[in-house]
């Protein structure tokens, strides 16, 4: 086919397309919905469910997760564009983690030594990161499909950004189930749960995100 | 000059994104010319038909992913990043190992308008006195702006050997042409 003919054909097909942000917002909507369904059908709500909304620690965990979701959104929104940089999102994520880590260390050191381990381990440290990852995987799959139809040029990083975004949203929904209420626990196990989908996204990126 | 080009292409891009078919046709035509020159320089072991295939694939990519251009950023940088990605992907699929500098966007902006046919003719004549490998070396380093290592690799020389060969070639050119007035 002659290039001029191709150009002619393409110029017949110029209806405006949905932008990057609406597409990613849709991925988050679908992802949150599936994560919520998994809480309803698999994990179950926390025992003190409706009353939890009145507890400050519930909102602390929700804010931590929501800020990571925002950081992930900033990252993936940029990394879905040619030569995009995820610096703004990464800076937010690191800053939020630093604050949580600092508060957790303060809590740890101001607690009697024999009362410290429960602060860190809680009751569910074995399953928390795994559960967040499970909740994140459906959204990661949807987000990777969305991103691959955009224009990422650094595929591993774009995949990681998709994973961070999915992890943040999943951790947010996970708060409906998770009954833990100590900062050191959240700083370690929630963070691991949100980083796991990022690692998987980074591994899948170079293969799944290639332009077809 | 580069700023005028950026403004012109960006205006066409925004109109195209909004659904203006004539603007989109003009933008793709202008991009096609630059893409052809950009790829041809970097694919000199490939047939012209391969270059044209890549031009078409890249125009298609520009079209399908046009919503990823952010008006707050320069358009030429976006287009260059797309072209560079498609080129690297082409090499990956064909198992060619080559390095593309990420900051060659400046020459992306100035090609091909700054090349006039008469200048190229004089240059060809001047270089024709050199052996073929040295001609290629001089073109690659001095005109295409490749590094000594890359240009040397193309003719089978190490970076050190390329440096020596280039030096000899330039000395020869100067001594042979020192009688020429311009």
């Amino acid at each position: 086919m002659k290039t001029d003919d191709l150009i002619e054909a393409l110029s017949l097909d110029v209806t405006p397309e949905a932008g990057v942000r609406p597409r990613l917002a849709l991925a988050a909507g679908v992802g949150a919905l599936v994560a919520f369904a998994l809480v309803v059908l698999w994990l179950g709500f926390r025992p003190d469910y409706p009353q939890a909304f009145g507890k400050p620690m519930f909102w602390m965990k929700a804010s931590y997760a929501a800020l990571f979701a925002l950081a992930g959104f900033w990252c993936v929104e940029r990394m879905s564009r040619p030569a995009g940089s995820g610096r703004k999102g990464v800076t937010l994520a690191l800053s939020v983690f630093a604050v949580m880590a600092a508060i957790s260390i303060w809590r740890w050191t101001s607690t009697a030594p024999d009362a410290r381990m429960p602060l860190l381990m809680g009751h569910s440290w074995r399953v928390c990161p795994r559960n967040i990852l499970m909740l994140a995987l459906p959204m990661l799959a949807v987000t990777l499909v969305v991103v691959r139809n955009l224009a990422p040029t650094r595929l591993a990083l774009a995949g990681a950004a998709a994973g961070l975004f999915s992890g943040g949203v999943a951790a947010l929904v996970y708060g409906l189930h998770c009954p833990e209420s100590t900062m050191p626990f959240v700083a370690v196990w929630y963070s691991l749960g949100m980083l796991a989908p990022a690692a998987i996204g980074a591994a899948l990126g170079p293969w799944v995100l290639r332009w077809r | 000059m580069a700023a005028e080009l950026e403004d012109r292409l960006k205006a066409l891009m925004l109109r195209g994104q909004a659904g203006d078919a004539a603007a989109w046709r003009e933008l793709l035509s202008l991009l096609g010319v630059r893409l052809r020159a950009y790829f041809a320089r970097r694919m000199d072991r490939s047939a012209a038909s391969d270059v044209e295939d890549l031009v078409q694939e890249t125009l298609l990519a520009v079209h399908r992913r046009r919503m990823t251009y952010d008006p707050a950023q320069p358009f030429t940088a976006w287009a260059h990043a797309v072209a560079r990605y498609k080129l690297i992907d082409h090499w990956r699929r064909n198992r060619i190992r080559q390095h593309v500098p990420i900051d060659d966007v400046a020459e992306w902006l100035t090609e091909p308008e700054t090349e006039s046919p008469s200048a190229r003719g004089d240059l060809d004549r001047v270089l024709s006195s050199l052996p073929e490998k040295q001609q290629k070396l001089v073109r690659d380093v001095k005109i295409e702006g490749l590094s000594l290592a890359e240009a040397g690799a193309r003719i089978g020389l190490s970076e050190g050997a390329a440096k020596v060969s280039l030096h000899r070639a330039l000395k020869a050119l100067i001594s042979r042409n020192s009688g020429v007035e311009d």
Side-chain angles (χ1 to χ4, degrees):
Chain A
M1 185 197 227
K2 289 185 59 195
T3 305
D4 289 341
D5 293 342
L6 174 66
I7 291 175
E8 195 54 47
L10 296 179
S11 67
L12 293 174
D13 175 37
V14 278
T15 39
E17 298 251 10
V20 172
R21 290 182 207 116
R23 292 180 190 219
L24 292 172
L26 185 66
V30 170
L33 217 58
V34 175
F36 181 76
L38 285 171
V39 168
V40 170
L41 299 171
W42 169 44
L43 294 173
F45 289 94
R46 44 189 288 175
D48 60 344
Y49 172 52
Q51 295 79 23
F53 290 126
K55 298 182 180 172
M57 198 52 199
F58 175 86
W59 294 106
M60 169 69 73
K61 285 155 58 185
S63 306
Y64 189 61
L67 285 169
F68 263 81
L70 179 63
F73 177 76
W74 283 352
C75 274
V76 73
E77 191 268 349
R78 285 291 111 185
M79 300 302 298
S80 298
R81 304 174 192 267
S85 160
R87 198 181 321 130
K88 188 177 164 198
V90 169
T91 304
L92 176 61
L94 289 176
S95 307
V96 171
F97 175 73
V99 169
M100 180 59 93
I103 299 175
S104 300
I105 290 169
W106 169 74
R107 279 287 278 129
W108 179 268
T109 53
S110 57
T111 303
D114 47 359
R116 281 176 186 170
M117 280 314 268
L119 282 183
L120 178 61
M121 299 313 217
H123 306 291
S124 60
W125 68 274
R126 275 193 199 86
V127 297
C128 173
R130 179 203 76 186
N131 288 347
I132 294 177
L133 173 61
M134 289 296 138
L135 260 48
L137 285 179
M139 180 170 162
L140 177 60
V142 171
T143 306
L144 287 175
V145 169
V146 166
V147 173
R148 114 174 178 180
N149 286 310
L150 294 169
T153 53
R154 288 152 77 193
L155 304 188
L157 291 177
L164 184 64
F165 185 35
S166 304
V169 171
L172 185 59
V173 176
Y174 185 66
L176 294 172
H177 160 78
C178 170
E180 306 285 355
S181 57
T182 55
M183 306 275 233
F185 182 94
V186 174
V188 171
W189 306 110
Y190 259 52
S191 305
L192 279 176
M194 295 188 286
L195 285 178
I200 293 177
L204 292 176
W207 169 56
V208 166
L209 296 180
R210 274 187 219 143
W211 303 11
R212 280 161 183 82
Chain B
M1 161 63 118
E4 285 168 18
L5 179 67
E6 162 67 26
D7 290 343
R8 183 180 176 199
L9 294 179
K10 178 169 175 170
L12 289 172
M13 179 64 172
L14 293 176
R15 281 164 53 198
Q17 280 184 318
D20 182 338
W24 197 239
R25 193 180 305 120
E26 189 182 342
L27 178 66
L28 292 183
S29 302
L30 291 171
L31 280 181
V33 172
R34 318 193 93 61
L35 287 170
R36 203 168 289 115
Y38 179 76
F39 292 142
R41 276 205 316 276
R42 285 166 179 73
M43 294 167 67
D44 65 356
R45 283 194 212 108
S46 304
S49 60
D50 289 345
V51 172
E52 201 58 27
D53 283 346
L54 192 54
V55 169
Q56 290 189 5
E57 277 184 42
T58 307
L59 289 175
L60 191 57
V62 163
H63 178 81
R64 289 177 54 207
R65 298 161 205 273
R66 62 192 185 278
M67 77 296 289
T68 64
Y69 170 60
D70 177 355
Q73 308 285 338
F75 172 74
T76 41
W78 180 90
H80 171 253
V82 172
R84 185 173 174 273
Y85 174 85
K86 291 299 291 182
L87 181 62
I88 291 172
D89 200 49
H90 166 80
W91 285 333
R92 181 193 58 78
R93 277 183 281 128
N94 293 284
R95 300 208 177 131
I96 305 166
R97 310 199 96 231
Q98 235 172 311
H99 171 72
V100 186
I102 200 166
D103 56 358
D104 61 356
V105 65
E107 63 175 295
W108 159 261
L109 287 175
T110 56
E111 280 284 330
E113 266 97 27
T114 53
E115 262 194 351
S116 66
S118 63
R120 170 151 273 194
D122 292 336
L123 189 61
D124 285 345
R125 208 173 348 100
V126 164
L127 288 181
S128 63
S129 59
L130 292 173
E132 207 190 303
K133 274 195 172 182
Q134 282 190 336
Q135 280 190 48
K136 187 159 173 36
L137 186 60
V138 172
R139 273 187 219 282
D140 284 346
V141 174
K142 291 300 180 187
I143 297 156
E144 313 293 11
L146 296 180
S147 72
L148 275 171
E150 287 167 358
R154 286 187 175 187
I155 54 172
L157 293 180
S158 69
E159 187 178 14
K163 191 172 178 181
V164 169
S165 182
L166 180 66
H167 178 68
R168 285 195 191 131
L170 293 175
K171 271 188 71 179
L173 284 178
I174 291 166
S175 65
R176 277 173 217 171
N177 291 283
S178 56
V180 174
E181 304 293 329
D182 247 298

